[in-house]
Structure formats: C-alpha cells, structure tokens
Amino acid sequence: MAKQKIMFFDTTLRDGEQSPGASMNVEKKARIARQLEKLGVDVIEAGFPIASPGDFQAVKEISGIIEKSEVCALARSLPKDIQSAAKAVEGAKKPRIHVFLATSPIHMQFKLCKSKGEVVKQAVDSVKLARQYCNNVEFSPEDASRTEKEFLFDIIERAIDAGASTINIPDTVGYAMPAEYGALIRKVRERVPNIENAVISCHCHNDLGLAVANSLEAVKNGARQVECTINGIGERAGNAALEEIVMALQTRKDFFQEFEHSINTREIINSSRMVSELSGLFVQRNKAIVGKNAFAHSAGIHQDGLIKKKSTYEIISPQEIGLEETELVLGKHSGKHAIKNRLESFGIKITEQEAEAIFPKFKAMADEKKEVSNEELLALAKGIKSLI
Ligand SMILES: [Zn+2]
C-alpha cells in the first residue's frame, strides 16, 4: 500500500514569532526561512502581513527566495487582511493564503459579537475573496476544539465549497486531550460530506503540555498536515514542536508505518540552534530531541551499557538529528569504563593500573564540580601518566 504523506507546515515565523520577546527582523526571518527549506518543510507560514509593515516585508522577501516550500501568509477574515496577504505572497513560487475566523461560542459572542449566520457568511466570503488571488487557500475555524460540533462541520463544508483546499482544526488554547482531539479529527472526516476535497490539518498549543501528543493523535485519525514550530516556540506555552513530531514518526515507524514525510532530520539540530540564536529563546536543557541533555547520559550503569551497545539506553542515534555523537557527561556517577573510553577517544590509552590511579582524583573533582570537562580529564590523565 502506498504510504500517505504527512505535510509539515512550519509556523515558527508566524505563531512562533508571537512568543513574547521573540520579535525578529526581516533579515533574521529570511535566514530561518532558508534553513526551513533545507530542513524540508512543505509549507512555511512566513508571517501575518497586515500586522505590521515589517511582517509584510518579511513575507514578501521570503516569497522571493524560497523555491521548493510553499510560502503562506496569515489573514483574518477581512478584505484588507486578505488583500495584504495576497500582495505579500504574490511573488512566491508556491503561494498560500491562510484565512481564519473564530467559531467557538465564547469567541463569537465576546470577541466578534456576531451570530452563527454572520460568521458563516464572513468565512465563505473570505475564502472566496482569497481564492480570487490564490488557488491555494487554507481555512481555520479558530478555537475549533471548543466549537459546537454541528456548527463546526457546517462551516467546514461551506468553506470547502467556497474553495478552501486545507481545513485546519486549531486547538487554539491548548485545551484538548489527545483522545478527544483525535476523535474530533475523525468526526470531521466522517461528518463533513465534501471533506475529501480538502486536507485536514492540526494546530496544537502546549498549555497542558499535550501539543505533540495531540498532533500525533490527529495524524492517526486522518490529519495529513501538522502545524508546528522549531523548538516548540509560540504563543504562551508554545506550539507543537516540529522536531518531536517528526522524530516520533521516524523512531516509531512500526506504530506510524502507513506514513511518510519529507523532513531531512539531519538538519534538525542546525534549525534548532539557529531559531534559538535568532529568536533569543533558549532551549531548556532537558527538552526532548534538541535539549543539551537529550543525548547526554550520566548514570554510570547507563554509560557502561551505552559503551557496550548504543541501543541499551538510546532510541535515537544523535547523528539522525545532525549531532556528532552522544555526549556522555562525566560526573560523579560515571564509572572507570566511561573514563577509559573518553580518554581513548582522544587517543590516550591507559592501563588498568593507571585507571585505578585516576579514578579517586576524578571522583573528588566530580564531587566538587558536578561535571568534569574533557580538558580536565585530560589534565588528570597527563598528571597520572607522568607519575607512573
Ligand atoms: Zn496558534
């Protein structure tokens, strides 16, 4: 059976850039866009052109330099937004306009102050208007996970009729549970009569730490596009992290065997480091996949096991995401074997007797400093070698 492609829609430059304190200039955004293309993302959401002249400029610039990925601009369901988005992506090889409108009772009543009928009309008019400029239009019923089901199915059907070819189901406030969100995606697939004319997309936020779990559940239930960001940056607690979703698909091919994707995982660490550096948002040490500690093993038993066979404690080889090698942190939990091994990687062979001599000194240093650097270990070894 032919595999089904999961499209990666990266919104680092739009939702990610909405992270407090992450504002980036046009030049930085263009650098990130180039890296995203190298990473192999299918769609780059480059910005929200009506939001500011800088945002407009960034989308326009990125549209001019990207060859393979689609370049998408966000717009509220308002003519001035759609016209601005259309103008910003008009130079793109593969342009897309993403139109959104809130559909949950709380948003319609308190934010839009509109009835259901008015919201449906506005959505249909907006998709139609966007289609006049671009034949690739995505529609998002904002706050979909808190929208009344029947109303949601109805507005999706009409948006597809109006010309939307991607339907995004945002869990805007990060409220959904995985099983619940998966069931919602499945219901959209079952209950919207013309759904085969559109790709279902998921867009999950991490307020309860479930963005990646929800996205994977969506994929299992019929979503064929995932919206995500590098390092999981984004509004509030952030968006689903691209690197975590792709490495889950990759590492658990047995569980996700019906799917394929076009991400070059070896570009993950470069992408992560670039986004962290240019956005100023540092990655927490223990973050899955890209945190500094993600491949660092410190327990002695683990280090010993890894040296004998990598797969004892490592489910992903660091090379797969573009890292050089696993980092065994040398500290007070490390055993003699790990020390010998590290020294050997620097071309220093030590005897059993020398290892016995180094070990207490190493332990004393580790007790004081928590982590013993390669330089410090080399200095210890040289001291011992010259003594013996
Ligand atoms: Zn969002």
Side-chain angles (χ1 to χ4, degrees):
M1 199 179 75
K3 292 197 183 239
Q4 299 186 55
K5 168 137 189 220
I6 302 301
M7 289 177 67
F8 277 81
F9 175 112
D10 182 279
T11 183
T12 303
L13 297 172
R14 202 280 298 165
D15 219 327
E17 212 238 358
Q18 285 172 223
S19 309
S23 191
M24 289 177 270
N25 63 22
V26 174
E27 189 258 321
K28 286 179 176 179
K29 286 184 180 177
R31 272 177 67 191
I32 291 176
R34 280 205 186 87
Q35 177 61 32
L36 291 171
E37 184 166 51
K38 215 165 153 192
L39 178 66
V41 307
D42 300 278
V43 187
I44 297 171
E45 187 165 53
F48 190 6
I50 196 77
S52 74
D55 244 39
F56 179 90
Q57 209 42 49
V59 178
K60 194 174 154 77
E61 172 108 7
I62 290 166
S63 295
I65 58 174
I66 294 300
E67 302 275 328
K68 287 179 277 179
S69 311
E70 291 179 25
V71 178
C72 176
L74 184 70
R76 287 170 299 184
S77 289
L78 298 171
K80 61 174 183 180
D81 280 43
I82 294 164
Q83 279 144 8
S84 168
K87 213 168 167 38
V89 294
E90 71 186 0
K93 292 237 160 38
K94 300 178 186 170
R96 179 187 292 202
I97 298 175
H98 178 190
V99 179
F100 74 98
L101 185 60
T103 52
S104 64
I106 189 166
H107 278 232
M108 289 194 293
Q109 190 184 343
F110 296 104
K111 192 176 83 176
L112 303 176
C113 305
K114 288 202 159 144
S115 69
K116 283 181 180 173
E118 288 169 312
V119 167
V120 168
K121 184 175 182 313
Q122 194 180 344
V124 167
D125 289 349
S126 300
V127 170
K128 281 186 176 159
L129 179 63
R131 275 300 301 266
Q132 286 178 20
Y133 299 102
C134 181
N135 56 18
N136 184 351
V137 173
E138 170 168 337
F139 175 70
S140 283
E142 192 191 0
D143 207 14
S145 52
R146 294 194 300 174
T147 297
E148 289 169 42
K149 303 276 186 295
E150 295 307 319
F151 180 57
L152 182 67
F153 304 147
D154 183 45
I155 200 165
I156 291 173
E157 183 184 354
R158 288 158 186 256
I160 295 172
D161 273 343
S165 48
T166 302
I167 294 293
N168 186 36
I169 309 292
D171 183 29
T172 306
V173 291
Y175 183 74
M177 292 291 122
E180 190 182 30
Y181 189 66
L184 176 63
I185 299 289
R186 195 175 59 244
K187 280 222 172 68
V188 166
R189 223 180 64 208
E190 289 167 359
R191 297 285 306 279
V192 177
N194 55 358
I195 196 70
E196 67 280 7
N197 299 328
V199 170
I200 303 175
S201 169
C202 58
H203 179 111
C204 299
H205 277 272
N206 210 28
D207 299 70
L208 295 172
L210 295 169
V212 169
N214 284 343
S215 304
L216 293 172
E217 202 60 29
V219 164
K220 271 287 186 190
N221 284 281
R224 293 295 170 262
Q225 173 178 286
V226 285
E227 302 199 356
C228 46
T229 62
I230 303 295
N231 299 337
I233 66 171
E235 280 276 5
R236 308 181 309 279
N239 288 59
L242 180 146
E243 63 277 6
E244 294 179 24
I245 297 173
V246 76
M247 289 318 292
L249 296 178
Q250 190 79 5
T251 309
R252 293 302 309 275
K253 277 192 183 128
D254 57 329
F255 190 77
F256 294 104
Q257 52 186 321
E258 63 271 46
F259 307 116
E260 60 182 10
H261 62 81
S262 57
I263 298 293
N264 175 6
T265 62
R266 287 174 189 270
E267 288 296 329
I268 285 178
I269 202 71
N270 289 341
S271 309
S272 167
R273 285 174 180 164
M274 183 187 284
V275 168
S276 168
E277 193 188 308
L278 299 185
S279 69
L281 295 172
F282 297 106
V283 176
Q284 78 197 55
R285 265 183 99 107
N286 62 323
K287 159 92 171 56
I289 316 296
V290 292
K292 193 170 182 293
N293 287 358
F295 294 94
H297 303 268
S298 91
I301 296 169
H302 290 204
Q303 293 193 345
D304 187 50
L306 273 165
I307 290 164
K308 288 173 180 148
K309 179 130 182 85
K310 291 262 188 204
S311 57
T312 48
Y313 288 99
E314 198 165 83
I315 59 166
I316 302 169
S317 103
Q319 286 84 357
E320 268 188 79
I321 65 153
L323 274 171
E324 291 300 311
E325 61 174 307
T326 308
E327 186 194 353
L328 296 178
V329 174
L330 295 180
K332 64 176 177 183
H333 302 297
S334 302
K336 259 178 257 164
H337 200 174
I339 291 167
K340 274 179 92 171
N341 210 57
R342 179 67 55 92
L343 287 171
E344 270 170 28
S345 75
F346 287 99
I348 298 172
K349 281 215 184 306
I350 56 168
T351 62
E352 204 47 48
Q353 196 192 358
E354 286 165 336
E356 290 291 344
I358 290 173
F359 203 56
K361 293 183 192 299
F362 167 81
K363 282 279 180 186
M365 188 182 270
D367 252 342
E368 244 175 73
K369 304 195 55 213
K370 272 189 124 168
E371 210 175 291
V372 177
S373 70
N374 289 331
E375 291 70 30
E376 288 161 341
L377 180 66
L378 287 171
L380 276 180
K382 279 179 188 145
I384 296 289
K385 277 246 176 222
S386 64
L387 284 179
I388 294 171

